């Protein structure tokens, strides 16, 4: 298949692009390199040293991979170039990773809130409008988040894959049943943009029959796949800082450098997780099993297991001997929640989940130990607060 990977230079996008090329697909990586520019602005670098996009692509070709091309393009701002790219490449599938993806970064200031909304909502809408204008039948595989469902309001109910069957009472006392998009409950400006993406997909699917698979992904952990491990120039990024680092990778990296594990609040928050290798595999499964023409948006819960954050920290502490330090929570969120998730779609398509117990935790600690001298400890704390109240709490507990 011809595949455009939007955001293909990012943490999830790069190993995904490489995997699709390895599987024989004709891959074009599209990225505006904004993630690398944000690193410069924040004065922080990936823990693992990553090469430029040009060197990555040359290395991939040299180690025997099917060559990929690169297009430097901003999908949120360069509509005409995006349309032209679709017309010239005529892709079967567009995999869409190209968004600002850090909740803490989105909550830093009004400037980062506005950037996140402008970038994410315009990017997704430009893609949909350009596909309609091109007249092509393109399948979009979009990376959404489990966070669209929210955390804390499910009261033990299993979260279905995107749609909820509800009973609607009528004036005469009768009821009818309806399948609706699961209500959204975003916990940050970033998560809110993902709920807006959902509505855009819903509308363009209904109005223009655009085929979409929306992957509600859990928090990704791990760093490399067997393919990005083939050559140091293919190494994937590893974010550890308070804005972009994700919780489990942060714990593993903190343990590796002897920094107390930063548990926010009570650690009672439960979240969904997936290893980068499974994330890559899921995107391939979604791409190779597209919705049929006229089918409504396919929504998959792309996660393999749920864990309470405090229990995760304990698991990492047991493995490494690290100390745990409870800190004021910068986020405005439920102190504790349960999270039961239906992920049958991918299991039925053949996903064999990688779990936390597979020795991969230790592998991530090893990677982090190897690059420990690249870590700037001052960038570990999460200082981006959801409201002035949380900001005050962080200050007083510092
Ligand atoms: N990393 C996770 O744990 C996680 C979890 C759930 C969902 N996701 C979703 O997966 C997707 C990818 O996440 P990631 O961790 O790889 O993030 P990332 O920031 O590492 O990668 C995103 C890539 O998109 C590019 N990009 C951003 N805006 C763009 C634009 N307007 N035009 C062109 N390129 C643009 C960036 O330069 C970057 O290379 C995101 O949509 C994110 O919401 C990630």
């Amino acid at each position: 298949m011809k595949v455009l990977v939007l955001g293909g230079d990012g943490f999830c996008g790069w190993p995904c692009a490489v995997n699709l090329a390895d599987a024989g697909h004709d891959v074009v990586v599209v990225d505006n390199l904004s993630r690398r520019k944000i690193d410069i602005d924040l004065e922080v670098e990936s823990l693992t040293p990553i090469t430029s996009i040009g060197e990555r692509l040359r290395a991939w070709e040299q180690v025997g991979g099917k060559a990929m091309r690169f297009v430097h393009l901003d999908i949120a701002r360069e509509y005409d170039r995006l349309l032209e790219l679709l017309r010239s490449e005529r892709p079967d599938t567009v995999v869409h990773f190209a968004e600002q993806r850090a909740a803490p970064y989105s909550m830093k200031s009004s400037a980062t809130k506005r950037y996140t909304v402008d970038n994410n909502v315009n990017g997704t809408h430009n893609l949909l409008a350009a596909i309609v204008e091109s007249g092509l039948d393109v399948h979009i595989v979009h990376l959404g988040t489990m966070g669209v469902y929210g955390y804390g309001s499910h009261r033990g109910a299993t979260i279905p894959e995107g749609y909820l069957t509800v009973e609607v009472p009528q004036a005469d006392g009768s009821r009818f049943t309806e399948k609706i998009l699961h209500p959204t409950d975003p916990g940050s400006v970033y998560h809110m943009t993902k709920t807006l993406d959902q509505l855009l997909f819903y509308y363009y699917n209904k109005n223009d029959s655009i085929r979409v698979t929306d992957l509600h992904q859990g928090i990704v952990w791990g760093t490399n796949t067997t393919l990005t491990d083939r050559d140091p120039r293919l190494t994937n990024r590893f974010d550890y800082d308070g804005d972009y680092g994700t919780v489990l990778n942060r714990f593993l990296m903190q343990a590796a450098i002897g920094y107390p594990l930063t548990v926010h609040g009570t650690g009672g928050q439960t979240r969904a997780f997936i290893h980068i290798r499974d994330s890559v595999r899921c995107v391939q499964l979604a791409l190779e099993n597209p919705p049929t023409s006229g089918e409504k948006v396919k929504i998959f819960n792309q996660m393999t297991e749920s864990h309470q954050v405090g229990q995760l920290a304990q698991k990492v502490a047991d493995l490494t001997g690290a100390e745990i330090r409870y800190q004021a929570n910068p986020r405005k969120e439920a102190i504790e929640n349960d999270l039961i998730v239906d992920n049958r779609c991918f299991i039925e398509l053949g996903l064999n989940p990688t779990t936390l117990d597979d020795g991969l935790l230790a592998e991530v600690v090893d990677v982090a130990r190897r690059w420990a001298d690249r870590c700037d400890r001052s960038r570990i704390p999460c200082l981006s607060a959801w409201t002035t109240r949380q900001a005050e709490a962080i200050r007083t507990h510092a």
Side-chain angles (χ1 to χ4, degrees):
M1 277 189 212
K2 168 72 75 74
V3 188
L4 300 188
V5 180
L6 311 182
D9 186 46
F11 168 61
C12 299
W14 173 244
C16 168
V18 163
N19 177 58
L20 294 176
D22 188 64
H25 297 294
D26 183 2
V27 176
V28 181
V29 171
V30 180
D31 205 295
N32 66 350
L33 308 183
S34 54
R35 182 66 194 85
R36 292 176 186 255
K37 290 184 200 109
I38 290 174
D39 270 351
I40 295 169
D41 292 345
L42 295 177
E43 299 183 355
V44 67
E45 287 181 349
S46 159
L47 188 68
T48 48
I50 54 170
T51 56
S52 67
I53 182 68
E55 200 168 348
R56 279 183 157 181
L57 294 171
R58 282 190 294 280
W60 173 244
E61 211 175 331
Q62 283 164 15
V63 296
K66 186 177 158 72
M68 296 186 282
R69 283 171 295 137
F70 173 62
V71 177
H72 189 298
L73 186 146
D74 187 327
I75 66 158
R77 293 183 177 184
E78 297 179 280
Y79 178 82
D80 292 341
R81 285 190 62 218
L82 176 62
L83 175 60
E84 191 42 47
L85 184 70
L86 288 170
R87 283 184 169 144
S88 59
E89 295 292 343
R90 306 182 66 80
D92 302 287
T93 310
V94 173
V95 187
H96 176 19
F97 293 96
E99 299 188 64
Q100 190 302 98
R101 72 103 170 123
Y105 184 78
S106 77
M107 301 302 287
K108 267 183 117 55
S109 65
S110 50
T112 61
K113 287 177 184 172
R114 291 173 53 242
Y115 164 69
T116 304
V117 170
D118 288 350
N119 189 61
N120 294 3
V121 180
N122 278 330
T124 299
H125 187 256
N126 280 350
L127 174 63
L128 287 159
I131 289 176
V132 172
E133 193 173 348
S134 73
L136 296 166
D137 178 20
V138 181
H139 172 209
I140 298 176
V141 176
H142 171 252
L143 273 291
T145 166
M146 283 295 302
V148 296
Y149 301 114
Y151 302 104
S153 56
H154 305 287
R155 287 185 261 164
T158 299
I159 298 179
E161 304 211 75
Y163 298 95
L164 187 66
T165 304
V166 294
E167 277 195 355
V168 184
Q170 297 288 84
D172 65 0
S174 65
R175 288 164 179 261
F176 67 89
T177 56
E178 181 104 318
K179 226 174 183 183
I180 59 165
L181 265 181
H182 192 286
T184 57
D185 184 12
S188 72
V189 167
Y190 155 72
H191 290 102
M192 186 182 63
T193 64
K194 294 295 195 176
T195 70
L196 296 171
D197 282 348
Q198 276 208 111
L199 273 184
L200 294 173
F201 294 133
Y202 177 82
Y203 173 73
Y204 275 90
N205 170 265
K206 185 179 70 163
N207 196 63
D208 300 280
S209 304
I210 302 291
R211 291 179 302 129
V212 182
T213 304
D214 199 3
L215 305 176
H216 289 179
Q217 182 165 244
I219 300 168
V220 183
W221 66 283
T223 179
N224 280 308
T225 62
T226 44
L227 292 173
T228 63
D229 261 339
R230 266 195 201 167
D231 187 293
R233 294 169 296 167
L234 299 175
T235 294
N236 198 19
R237 61 179 307 128
F238 188 133
D239 297 308
Y240 68 92
D241 60 289
D243 288 311
Y244 274 88
T246 50
V247 62
L248 180 51
N249 272 7
R250 272 167 58 81
F251 286 164
L252 293 166
M253 166 275 169
Q254 289 162 358
I257 65 160
Y259 191 101
L261 310 186
T262 50
V263 175
H264 297 151
T266 63
Q269 310 91 323
T270 306
R271 296 291 182 267
F273 292 87
I274 184 164
H275 191 270
I276 187 76
R277 293 182 191 172
D278 285 349
S279 167
V280 159
R281 174 90 186 109
C282 285
V283 172
Q284 185 181 349
L285 284 170
L287 176 139
E288 292 172 357
N289 294 277
T292 51
S293 175
E295 193 175 336
K296 69 178 180 183
V297 176
K298 265 190 180 183
I299 301 179
F300 292 179
N301 290 336
Q302 184 165 310
M303 53 74 73
T304 53
E305 50 193 328
S306 295
H307 294 281
Q308 229 173 23
V309 168
Q311 285 170 3
L312 266 188
Q314 194 55 57
K315 195 173 177 60
V316 174
D318 292 345
L319 186 76
T320 60
E323 181 198 332
I324 298 176
R325 191 168 294 164
Y326 291 86
Q327 305 187 333
N329 192 348
R331 301 182 185 219
K332 186 173 175 180
E333 63 186 3
I335 294 171
E336 200 173 303
N337 68 290
D338 57 18
L339 191 64
I340 307 163
V341 181
D342 184 358
N343 66 348
R344 258 174 299 175
C345 286
F346 273 126
I347 304 295
E348 283 167 8
L349 285 178
L351 179 72
N352 181 15
T354 305
T355 66
L356 248 51
D357 295 315
D358 284 347
L360 287 164
L361 289 169
E363 191 182 305
V364 179
V365 175
D366 286 346
V367 171
R369 274 204 190 108
R370 183 157 169 229
W371 302 111
D373 62 339
R374 286 174 52 85
C375 167
D376 176 351
R377 286 171 174 252
S378 72
R379 308 318 306 265
I380 294 178
C382 285
L383 301 176
S384 172
W386 265 226
T387 67
T388 46
R389 197 167 160 193
Q390 272 82 29
E392 187 52 35
I394 296 175
R395 260 194 303 277
T396 35
H397 286 89

